[in-house]
Amino acid sequence: NRKDFEKTRLNVEQYQLIENIFRGGNTHARRHMSNTVLHDVHSFDMQSSYIGVMLMDYFPISPLVEIKVKTLKDLKKYLVKYCCMLELDFFGIHEKKDNYCPYIDIAHCKKHHKIINDNGRVKSAEYIGSYYCTEIDLKIILDTYDFKDVYNSKGEKIENIVIKKCFISQRGKLNKEFRERLMYWYEKKCTLKNVNGKEYEYAKSKNRLNSSFGMTIQKLAIDEITYTDKWEESKKELGEVLDFYYKSKNSFLIKQQGIYVTAHARRRLQEGINICGSDYVYGDTDSCKFINEKHVKEFNTLN
């Protein structure tokens, strides 16, 4: 595991890319049902969502390699085989008519022009520049958005998706020992729940599970705070921070794996959102709420 940790070291450019890509849970209410009292709303939650994907799903396990691709057509052969960490531009993008939870968050759009904002999400935009995401996010975007034809000043049709940067890595599981430890604390949490006299042990096992995800996405480049007669903040040079992290024997987590925990969780939540269709009401990280009882059977099939 130590060798794997060292060989997957990130350089400064790659670390900054990972920091830009990271996004938390998908939380959004359907605009058509906001500010309205709804009755008979059903809800399904994913139990231990982040721990679940850490045990079940794939993650980047090899050194990041930059590939030179410009168009979606060129990129497609990599999307099905590799973890892809991307910087993209979108032109003429708009939400599909049968989509009720826009996926692209404006906070991740470094640049944009003529954007229609649905409470922090992109309903449509003439242009989105430097959007950072994984191949998981891109697949959801392609499923939930359409594109109109866009032309340059010469009247020539241009690509709707431009790949500005792409790093790939082989897919694989988190290392066996880490997964076994997660299972150990998950079993403790489940068996100690609601057991009289075991409240403290239950709480600590739950804390350890939750912190195991938090560790995977903890920022390395944090400001250094010193105090003499007053508080002072100073920024550390990123290259030095990375040197310290990868040399330390206390470091063991492959940082680029952390962004895939939340990406997989958003993908799994999207499966629930897709089931609901126009009956979707609200989603939050690991839960999906909807009207119309007919979807209950579909969720049971998904489970």
Side-chain angles (χ1 to χ4, degrees):
N1 288 328
R2 182 69 194 179
K3 288 179 181 178
D4 289 340
F5 171 78
E6 290 173 344
K7 78 179 183 183
T8 53
R9 173 181 176 139
L10 299 171
N11 60 32
V12 170
E13 179 191 14
Q14 293 166 346
Y15 177 80
Q16 290 172 328
L17 177 73
I18 297 304
E19 285 287 285
N20 283 323
I21 288 175
F22 175 69
R23 175 179 170 182
N26 187 3
T27 303
H28 197 70
R30 181 183 168 192
R31 61 186 176 274
H32 310 88
M33 296 188 181
S34 296
N35 199 32
T36 304
V37 177
L38 301 171
H39 299 275
D40 300 319
V41 175
H42 300 268
S43 181
F44 277 89
D45 290 36
M46 290 183 280
Q47 292 187 5
S48 298
S49 173
Y50 288 163
I51 305 304
V53 301
M54 290 168 78
L55 289 167
M56 294 185 289
D57 289 318
Y58 68 78
F59 294 86
I61 60 168
S62 66
L64 270 59
V65 176
E66 186 172 6
I67 58 168
K68 299 296 183 181
V69 291
K70 291 293 184 183
T71 67
L72 183 61
K73 184 179 179 181
D74 299 330
L75 181 64
K76 279 185 175 178
K77 63 182 178 182
Y78 297 101
L79 294 177
V80 295
K81 290 179 61 178
Y82 296 96
C83 292
C84 301
M85 285 142 270
L86 304 154
E87 180 187 355
L88 307 169
D89 286 348
F90 296 115
F91 295 88
I93 189 170
H94 59 91
E95 184 186 25
K96 288 184 178 179
K97 289 182 178 179
D98 58 351
N99 187 64
Y100 302 95
C101 181
Y103 186 77
I104 298 176
D105 58 321
I106 296 175
H108 271 71
C109 302
K110 299 294 183 183
K111 308 169 190 173
H112 54 78
H113 178 62
K114 288 190 177 179
I115 202 165
I116 295 181
N117 179 349
D118 177 0
N119 195 23
R121 300 298 177 86
V122 175
K123 191 174 185 303
S124 65
E126 289 293 312
Y127 165 70
I128 295 172
S130 293
Y131 187 80
Y132 295 90
C133 66
T134 69
E135 82 284 357
I136 298 169
D137 303 296
L138 179 56
K139 288 175 184 175
I140 296 173
I141 290 168
L142 294 175
D143 285 341
T144 56
Y145 287 86
D146 276 328
F147 297 86
K148 67 178 183 181
D149 292 342
V150 179
Y151 300 88
N152 62 20
S153 57
K154 297 178 181 179
E156 301 165 331
K157 187 177 177 181
I158 63 174
E159 294 286 342
N160 291 109
I161 301 175
V162 177
I163 294 93
K164 297 174 72 175
K165 190 77 69 174
C166 178
F167 285 88
I168 64 171
S169 171
Q170 292 178 356
R171 296 175 179 179
K173 296 285 190 181
L174 297 181
N175 75 66
K176 184 170 179 284
E177 290 74 21
F178 190 25
R179 285 183 286 123
E180 286 177 345
R181 204 63 188 162
L182 291 174
M183 277 302 301
Y184 173 81
W185 289 113
Y186 180 73
E187 186 178 5
K188 285 278 188 185
K189 187 193 84 162
C190 292
T191 55
L192 294 173
K193 190 174 184 179
N194 299 324
V195 177
N196 289 335
K198 296 292 183 178
E199 292 81 6
Y200 176 78
E201 288 90 338
Y202 167 74
K204 296 309 290 183
S205 60
K206 189 173 181 180
N207 289 347
R208 284 181 181 268
L209 274 176
N210 293 340
S211 66
S212 65
F213 157 67
M215 287 191 300
T216 66
I217 47 86
Q218 185 174 342
K219 279 181 177 286
L220 300 181
I222 57 175
D223 295 341
E224 188 174 59
I225 300 173
T226 57
Y227 178 78
T228 49
D229 57 335
K230 62 178 181 179
W231 294 104
E232 293 183 343
E233 290 186 24
S234 60
K235 289 189 179 295
K236 287 187 175 180
E237 201 274 322
L238 185 52
E240 293 178 7
V241 171
L242 293 175
D243 284 340
F244 178 82
Y245 179 74
Y246 285 102
K247 286 177 182 176
S248 173
K249 297 298 182 181
N250 291 326
S251 304
F252 64 96
L253 291 167
I254 297 173
K255 299 306 298 180
Q256 51 269 41
Q257 292 178 343
I259 62 173
Y260 274 78
V261 178
T262 52
H264 281 300
R266 292 192 299 273
R267 173 185 59 80
R268 290 179 176 273
L269 180 66
Q270 189 68 37
E271 291 176 351
I273 293 171
N274 292 343
I275 284 174
C276 299
S278 61
D279 295 323
Y280 168 79
V281 172
Y282 177 70
D284 185 353
T285 309
D286 60 358
S287 67
C288 191
K289 305 185 189 302
F290 57 92
I291 55 174
N292 198 333
E293 192 173 356
K294 74 174 186 179
H295 300 301
V296 172
K297 186 176 180 181
E298 296 170 274
F299 270 90
N300 290 333
T301 300
L302 176 63
N303 285 332

